[in-house]
Amino acid sequence: MTFSLTVSDEVRALAPGFTHVAIEAHGLVNGPSNEASSALLDDAARRLAVRLDGRAPHEDPHMAAWREIYTAFGSKPSRTRNSAEALAKRALSAAGLPRINLLVDVYNAISVARLIPVGGEDIDRIRGGMRLVRATGDEEFVTAAGGEEVVEHPDAGEVVWRDEQGVTCRRWNWRQGPRTRLTEETVSGIFLLESLAPMPVAEVEAAGAELAELLEKFSPGARIEVHAADPVRD
């Protein structure tokens, strides 16, 4: 992997059942959402409904595990849901899933269908490697509110993804900052699928393989490298 991605010892101690699959992709072609990406999202919503079989998203064992972890680092999971639960809730609502752009639609579809938090970052907008750490509270998280740039600070002890410039995603996988998000100009991306026990490692690896196949379909000729789950759970 040419891109550096590390998980701190403090986070591993907090969540020993955590594992992730990373997909590094170069030569991507992005663009506005289209019929193909919209159909993918519709299919993901159908797959989700079958998976839940009438349950609410938070009743799924994997989503319940994420709620426990959020509580452990001081966040209220009913107010700040992990990205997969939040998307699943939207998928089951009358509004349905948002259409953002091709790359975001693709990884959102995998997240919803598989109930796995999935994120995508523009490698060219990241400063240095990415690290999953527990925040001190002094880090800067640049976001937008009311059309204007706003600087926030994570809570002390909060789990965040960050690079050398600042926080890229708050509360583990709750809110991504606009600086590193995938835009229609993105050509290189890192996609991260995150799971906790009791989800089997094989399941998150299968989700990663499905995402890689879709990236190849939507960006023919892209150079895509899948990095297996780390650390491996029993």
Side-chain angles (χ1 to χ4, degrees), residues 34-225:
N34 59 22
E35 289 186 5
S37 70
S38 185
L40 198 63
L41 290 167
D42 288 340
D43 182 62
R46 287 190 290 269
R47 290 169 65 183
L48 171 69
V50 171
R51 183 187 189 97
L52 291 174
D53 191 24
R55 294 174 299 165
H58 70 268
E59 295 177 300
D60 177 84
H62 191 216
M63 295 298 92
W66 277 106
R67 283 194 166 213
E68 289 179 7
I69 287 296
Y70 269 49
T71 300
F73 66 76
S75 292
K76 294 182 178 179
S78 59
R79 291 180 57 191
T80 54
R81 296 176 176 88
N82 76 79
S83 62
E85 184 183 331
L87 277 174
K89 188 175 176 64
R90 291 196 64 173
L92 297 173
S93 72
L97 288 166
R99 274 59 173 164
I100 308 298
N101 59 52
L102 292 179
L103 292 177
V104 175
D105 289 354
V106 166
Y107 81 69
N108 277 350
I110 295 298
S111 179
V112 168
R114 301 271 189 167
L115 269 183
I116 296 173
V118 183
E121 308 276 355
D122 189 322
I123 289 178
D124 294 328
R125 296 172 180 267
I126 295 170
R127 300 294 171 255
M130 288 179 59
R131 293 178 287 135
L132 186 65
V133 302
R134 300 199 70 172
T136 64
D138 296 327
E139 301 89 346
E140 290 191 349
F141 177 71
V142 181
T143 185
E148 296 185 0
E149 186 176 285
V150 176
V151 177
E152 298 178 353
H153 298 277
D155 299 326
E158 181 183 324
V159 177
V160 298
W161 281 101
R162 65 159 303 163
D163 64 3
E164 291 180 2
Q165 187 170 329
V167 172
T168 58
C169 192
R170 285 199 60 187
R171 294 185 180 131
W172 206 317
N173 45 40
W174 167 63
R175 179 181 290 171
Q176 181 188 33
R179 172 169 60 90
T180 58
R181 67 187 174 191
L182 302 177
T183 69
E184 293 181 22
E185 288 72 46
T186 297
V187 294
S188 294
I190 186 78
F191 300 85
L192 194 65
L193 300 89
E194 302 179 297
S195 74
L196 296 168
M199 176 170 279
V201 171
E203 189 168 343
V204 68
E205 289 183 329
E210 184 180 3
L211 177 54
E213 290 176 4
L214 287 172
L215 291 173
E216 291 173 358
K217 176 183 176 181
F218 281 83
S219 294
R223 303 184 307 281
I224 297 171
E225 187 175 0

